[in-house]
Amino acid sequence: MIVLQWNKLTGKIPRELANNNLTGKIPLSLGNLSSLTIFSFHENNLEGSIPNQMSQIKSQKIFTAEGNRLSDSLSNASQLQIFDISSNKFVGQVPTDLQNLKSLSWLNFETNNLGSNSSNDLVFLTSLTNCSHLEMLSFSMDHFGGVIPNSITNLSTRLNYLYLGENEMTGTVPVGLENLINLIGLAMEDNSFTDLSNNKLEGLDLSQYSFTGNLPAAVGKLKNVNALDISQNNHSGEIPRTIGDCLNLEYLYMQRNFFQGTIPSSLASLRGLRYLDLSQNNLSGQIPKDLQEIPYLQYLNLSFNNLKGKVPKRGVFANVSALSLIGNNKLCGGVPELRLPKCPTRITKKVNSHTLMLAIAIACGVPSVVLILMLFLICWMKKLRSNSSFASLAMNHLLNVSYKDLYQATNGFSSCNLIGSGFFSSVYKGFLPQVERQVAIKVLNLEQTGAIKVLNGECKTLKPC
């Protein structure tokens, strides 16, 4: 029973008291509700501690108070099924007597300050091994440190979701996670798992675990693993070059992730590799040609990436039944059975280069030829000036010549009489009766700016000293 008399509440009575703006502390008197089964005050502004009396309510099955500002203590009611205190301000070590919560199916205390980056932060996990109904466990973003205890592999086989990312955990990832046969979501990102050198596991299947983030470079310390499957996760970033240090690898499955960058050439160091699947990622660049030198490679799947360039022809690349490259539209070459387009040859590049050089030569040569012709014309005109009778006539008086005379002298400015042409003018040869000899007749192109200036300059050059 809940009594709300003598208040000023308005509106309808809500089905639960969550998602309001309730403030203050949880009243101690709530601990007297011996038949309380559901306590849901999430997304309010409650603060302070959870009353110890509430831990004694045997009938309580659901306790959700995430998104408040609660702190100091945790509940351990024996019949509790759902316990969610995420996004609060809880501090201190997680109790190690959680084995009493035998009916617990959902435990979420992420985004608090429960860890102190110490080796004892994760001791509580051992007490959860008796919670045989546990289906979801999340303690990410809690500042937990230390090494994950091996007891985590003994959690309930009903466990579907395990989230422990964004903490400060170190050491080895327990090798018995495959015991959690119903696990479909596993997040361990942004920790400091580095010491894998003593891992004696020979086969590691981490496919379909919803892993996110970069694959750590420490993967290269899995010296004894001969089969590694991290397919169908959400890995991103580049494939670390240290993958080539796993010298015992025979089977490597990395398909259906979000890996990007180039295929590391260090994969060619895996001389015993038999199966390699990198399909359905975002890999780019060229296929390392050294992959064709892996002697025992029987299956290679690089399909549905963004690879480009020449496909090798030897090794596994010569067996089209053992090779998949579809979905890479920029690949070329390879064995004829692949039916890929031919790669551009170097000869084509040379032809294109020669064509470009020829065009440059022509562009530079034409002005040079024009300049030579202009110099020849000037010299020729100077030679004409040496004739005394013509020079005397030119010095004594200017010769009056009509357009008709010029037209007749050049046979109508016939191309047969054209000596040369330039940017500003054309020069014709013709016979003038007035001087009884051949003369050069220049026709200016007045549409070109500077034509008059050029003519004046030439006249000064031809003027006798």
Side-chain angles (χ1 to χ4, degrees):
M1 179 178 70
I2 181 169
V3 179
L4 298 173
Q5 60 186 9
W6 298 314
N7 282 289
K8 296 182 180 180
L9 299 175
T10 60
K12 295 181 180 180
I13 299 175
R15 293 183 177 181
E16 58 180 24
L17 298 178
N19 295 293
N20 285 288
N21 290 312
L22 299 178
T23 59
K25 298 181 179 181
I26 298 176
L28 297 177
S29 58
L30 286 182
N32 297 326
L33 301 176
S34 59
S35 298
L36 183 66
T37 57
I38 299 176
F39 181 90
S40 180
F41 277 82
H42 57 271
E43 305 299 335
N44 281 287
N45 292 306
L46 300 177
E47 58 186 3
S49 61
I50 299 174
N52 289 330
Q53 293 88 335
M54 298 197 70
S55 300
Q56 309 305 320
I57 303 176
K58 303 299 183 181
S59 60
Q60 188 172 198
K61 295 182 179 181
I62 298 176
F63 184 97
T64 60
E66 70 270 22
N68 285 281
R69 292 181 291 169
L70 299 172
S71 60
D72 293 342
S73 66
L74 296 172
S75 176
N76 62 355
S78 60
Q79 298 299 316
L80 203 60
Q81 297 177 3
I82 296 177
F83 187 53
D84 192 334
I85 54 168
S86 59
S87 302
N88 278 285
K89 294 184 178 181
F90 286 100
V91 296
Q93 191 171 4
V94 179
T96 58
D97 57 353
L98 299 178
Q99 67 272 11
N100 297 326
L101 305 176
K102 295 182 179 181
S103 299
L104 192 65
S105 64
W106 182 288
L107 179 57
N108 185 3
F109 46 86
E110 65 183 29
T111 319
N112 282 284
N113 296 300
L114 294 169
S116 58
N117 192 21
S118 70
S119 58
N120 296 323
D121 284 348
L122 302 173
V123 175
F124 71 91
L125 286 172
T126 302
S127 66
L128 285 173
T129 56
N130 288 332
C131 301
S132 59
H133 297 280
L134 192 61
E135 297 179 2
M136 199 289 292
L137 173 60
S138 177
F139 51 93
S140 58
M141 294 183 286
D142 267 316
H143 305 288
F144 286 126
V147 178
I148 300 176
N150 289 330
S151 58
I152 196 173
T153 64
N154 295 324
L155 292 175
S156 171
T157 55
R158 295 187 179 184
L159 194 64
N160 296 141
Y161 302 97
L162 176 59
Y163 303 124
L164 44 89
E166 298 186 61
N167 281 291
E168 299 168 20
M169 290 176 277
T170 60
T172 303
V173 176
V175 298
L177 289 178
E178 61 267 23
N179 296 335
L180 306 177
I181 57 176
N182 288 308
L183 197 63
I184 59 177
L186 174 63
M188 306 173 70
E189 75 280 4
D190 294 329
N191 280 284
S192 300
F193 300 122
T194 56
D195 186 10
L196 300 176
S197 58
N198 295 323
N199 198 315
K200 297 181 180 180
L201 193 66
E202 294 184 359
L204 184 57
D205 184 357
L206 296 176
S207 60
Q208 303 183 59
Y209 274 94
S210 299
F211 280 117
T212 61
N214 294 350
L215 184 65
V219 70
K221 295 183 178 181
L222 295 171
K223 303 294 186 181
N224 299 309
V225 171
N226 62 16
L228 177 60
D229 188 350
I230 57 172
S231 62
Q232 300 184 58
N233 283 291
N234 296 308
H235 284 299
S236 57
E238 296 187 355
I239 298 175
R241 295 182 56 83
T242 53
I243 195 73
D245 296 334
C246 304
L247 298 180
N248 285 328
L249 265 182
E250 296 182 19
Y251 304 90
L252 179 57
Y253 303 98
M254 307 179 73
Q255 70 270 21
R256 297 184 66 179
N257 280 283
F258 297 95
F259 288 116
Q260 56 194 26
T262 58
I263 299 174
S265 58
S266 59
L267 284 173
S269 301
L270 306 177
R271 308 301 291 174
L273 197 62
R274 296 177 181 273
Y275 283 73
L276 176 59
D277 194 337
L278 301 176
S279 62
Q280 299 185 61
N281 282 285
N282 296 317
L283 299 172
S284 57
Q286 296 187 342
I287 299 174
K289 63 179 181 180
D290 290 340
L291 293 184
Q292 65 185 345
E293 307 299 338
I294 302 177
Y296 302 108
L297 192 58
Q298 302 171 2
Y299 175 80
L300 176 61
N301 191 344
L302 303 177
S303 60
F304 298 105
N305 281 286
N306 298 308
L307 302 173
K308 63 180 181 179
K310 188 176 183 179
V311 176
K313 294 183 178 182
R314 301 198 311 272
V316 70
F317 295 96
N319 185 1
V320 294
S321 63
L323 179 67
S324 181
L325 299 174
I326 60 174
N328 295 283
N329 298 326
K330 296 181 180 180
L331 290 176
C332 61
V335 296
E337 291 82 357
L338 290 174
R339 298 181 180 179
L340 294 174
K342 293 183 179 181
C343 296
T345 61
R346 294 184 178 181
I347 295 177
T348 302
K349 293 182 179 179
K350 290 183 178 180
V351 170
N352 292 339
S353 177
H354 290 162
T355 303
L356 178 62
M357 293 178 63
L358 180 61
I360 294 175
I362 293 174
C364 296
V366 169
S368 301
V369 172
V370 173
L371 179 61
I372 292 173
L373 290 175
M374 290 182 65
L375 292 175
F376 174 79
L377 176 63
I378 292 174
C379 293
W380 184 75
M381 293 180 69
K382 284 185 176 181
K383 187 176 181 180
L384 290 178
R385 191 184 60 180
S386 62
N387 185 284
S388 60
S389 62
F390 179 78
S392 176
L393 179 62
M395 292 178 62
N396 293 331
H397 66 277
L398 295 176
L399 184 64
N400 293 321
V401 182
S402 67
Y403 177 82
K404 181 179 179 181
D405 295 332
L406 296 176
Y407 187 86
Q408 292 176 345
T410 59
N411 294 324
F413 297 103
S414 171
S415 59
C416 296
N417 292 345
L418 181 65
I419 299 175
S421 62
F423 188 73
F424 297 105
S425 62
S426 299
V427 178
Y428 296 85
K429 65 180 179 179
F431 183 85
L432 282 179
Q434 292 91 327
V435 294
E436 299 180 347
R437 62 174 295 129
Q438 290 273 357
V439 297
I441 301 170
K442 174 174 283 191
V443 179
L444 290 179
N445 185 1
L446 297 178
E447 293 181 357
Q448 298 296 336
T449 303
I452 298 297
K453 184 177 180 180
V454 171
L455 177 64
N456 291 335
E458 292 177 352
C459 291
K460 290 181 180 179
T461 302
L462 297 174
K463 184 177 179 181
C465 298

